[in-house]
Amino acid sequence: MNASFPDSAAAATLPETGLPPLHLLIAAPRGFCAGVDRAIEIVERAIERYGAPVYVRHEIVHNRFVVDTLKAKGAVFVEELDEVPDGKPVVFSAHGVPKVVPMAATERGLDWLDATCPLVSKVHRQAERKVEAGRHILFVGHKGHPEVIGTMGQVPEGAMTLVETVEDVARLDFPADQRLAFLTQTTLSVDDTAEIIAALKARFPSIVGPRAEDICYATSNRQAAVKAIAPRCQLVLVIGAPNSSNSLRLVEVAEREGSKARLIQRATEIDPAWLEGVTSLGLTAGASAPEVLVREVVAKLGTWRQVHEEPVTTTEEHMVFKLPRQLMS
Ligand code: SF4
């Protein structure tokens, strides 16, 4: 079931500006992934079950519109568990949390629900298994991102080293007999990560890793869709938050394909000057941005120019994740 959001898109009226029409290539897949759908539904169902307020540790997903919509329904967002009052339910965000967080919630007797995306949880389990097997993990990810903090928090301190770039790989200093494994954050650039993994394998030939890197289907599919439209666009707009890893990667992918690209959170952020001389525009949305924001942008563009929409679909997605057991009955 898709999470429910109000339709805030205004109806477009065609302007008489004398400007050339705008050919709008809309990438698909775009927007909400199965992990985000699930996380939002967990908060909504928790509010129905427990009544408001339901506390959520960290933004449930990195999108202000989603957060504000859930706040209006009774969610209270906090950064740390000690901000949750005794006796109140708490949901952990889709990015995952270090192991100590649910442990602390249990010790306090809090009702907690884990909205960690199952694809992130899979990386958590892999990390535990590799460390149990006596391997040190090289984790490819972005420092400070909540998913990275959560995944590094699945294993004892010092059992995992963060690698962000090919240059970081060159600086690693492990003895020849060190048993190593690599894992990756789920929302990375497919191309950058392939380079980093190639560098790791070249430097440490006996390193082991997952059969395919852990970049999730949604991240890969959204990047592939942007690759398909960007060469045909003078500018690509990516709807997403500045702290949304997968959205930032979509901007980079579009730029690498030779297009200009801009990250926007809402239609109001579009500067009409960006569209001067642009007749072919691309549009996509990160995995935490709802479709209503895409329609809002299309409506806004329609107040400036005649817009001819061309959906460009590179693959169909049918992934659905189960809800936690506590919410199934
Ligand atoms: S982007 Fe990928 S890992 Fe993140 S919530 Fe969506 S499906 Fe899960």
Side-chain angles (χ1 to χ4, degrees):
M1 192 208 312
N2 275 343
S4 51
F5 286 96
D7 185 357
S8 72
T13 48
L14 295 183
E16 300 288 337
T17 59
L19 292 169
L22 195 57
H23 188 77
L24 182 64
L25 293 100
I26 307 187
R30 64 176 174 274
F32 277 7
C33 59
V36 165
D37 261 335
R38 175 179 180 269
I40 293 168
E41 195 174 347
I42 288 172
V43 177
E44 290 177 334
R45 288 214 188 188
I47 294 168
E48 279 168 26
R49 169 156 302 202
Y50 297 100
V54 164
Y55 285 75
V56 183
R57 185 187 175 279
H58 195 67
E59 290 185 335
I60 185 75
V61 299
H62 286 155
N63 186 278
R64 198 189 304 155
F65 183 85
V66 171
V67 166
D68 288 345
T69 305
L70 292 174
K71 270 185 192 168
K73 292 181 179 180
V76 175
F77 290 85
V78 295
E79 277 311 305
E80 293 302 337
L81 200 60
D82 55 19
E83 297 169 62
V84 180
D86 286 339
K88 295 294 177 194
V90 59
V91 179
F92 303 137
S93 79
H95 316 95
V97 290
K99 257 185 178 171
V100 291
V101 175
M103 280 165 59
T106 302
E107 270 170 30
R108 282 184 55 195
L110 298 178
D111 281 324
W112 57 268
L113 291 157
D114 189 4
T116 303
C117 176
L119 300 181
V120 174
S121 300
K122 188 176 125 200
V123 180
H124 289 181
R125 288 194 298 274
Q126 287 174 333
E128 283 181 304
R129 280 203 297 269
K130 297 280 186 268
V131 169
E132 280 163 18
R135 292 187 183 270
H136 183 86
I137 298 171
L138 302 177
F139 187 57
V140 185
H142 295 295
K143 191 174 180 185
H145 189 278
E147 182 185 331
V148 172
I149 295 167
T151 301
M152 295 190 85
Q154 302 305 309
V155 296
E157 211 174 328
M160 204 183 263
T161 301
L162 184 64
V163 174
E164 294 189 85
T165 61
V166 168
E167 291 71 39
D168 284 352
V169 175
R171 284 192 286 268
L172 291 171
D173 186 19
F174 289 100
D177 59 349
Q178 173 87 50
R179 284 160 54 79
L180 293 170
F182 73 84
L183 294 171
T184 77
Q185 190 180 335
T186 56
T187 50
L188 300 177
S189 151
V190 171
D191 295 338
D192 286 351
T193 307
E195 280 178 27
I196 296 171
I197 291 173
L200 284 172
K201 287 180 173 171
R203 182 94 202 277
F204 308 107
S206 59
I207 194 169
V208 299
R211 223 168 295 143
E213 17 71 349
D214 302 299
I215 296 173
C216 77
Y217 80 97
T219 298
S220 311
N221 288 348
R222 279 149 192 70
Q223 288 178 21
V226 165
K227 274 191 184 177
I229 62 165
R232 298 172 56 200
C233 299
Q234 293 149 296
L235 171 69
V236 173
L237 298 178
V238 177
I239 304 172
N243 57 347
S244 161
S245 174
N246 80 87
S247 303
L248 293 171
R249 304 294 82 79
L250 293 177
V251 172
E252 292 169 1
V253 168
E255 287 172 341
R256 272 190 209 168
E257 294 299 316
S259 171
K260 286 187 185 156
R262 297 271 188 176
L263 183 72
I264 53 166
Q265 303 206 62
R266 296 292 296 258
T268 47
E269 292 178 14
I270 305 171
D271 181 346
W274 299 346
L275 303 177
E276 277 169 23
V278 172
T279 52
S280 186
L281 179 72
L283 181 60
T284 187
S288 40
E291 183 64 12
V292 63
L293 299 185
V294 174
R295 297 321 306 172
E296 182 188 76
V297 167
V298 176
K300 183 76 178 173
L301 294 170
T303 65
W304 294 320
R305 303 270 284 274
Q306 269 199 341
V307 176
H308 297 158
E309 291 183 46
E310 180 191 341
V312 178
T313 304
T314 47
T315 189
E316 303 277 346
E317 290 180 347
H318 303 286
M319 189 80 82
V320 178
F321 295 134
K322 275 193 207 155
L323 293 173
R325 267 198 313 275
Q326 301 105 297
L327 294 176
M328 295 295 277
S329 54

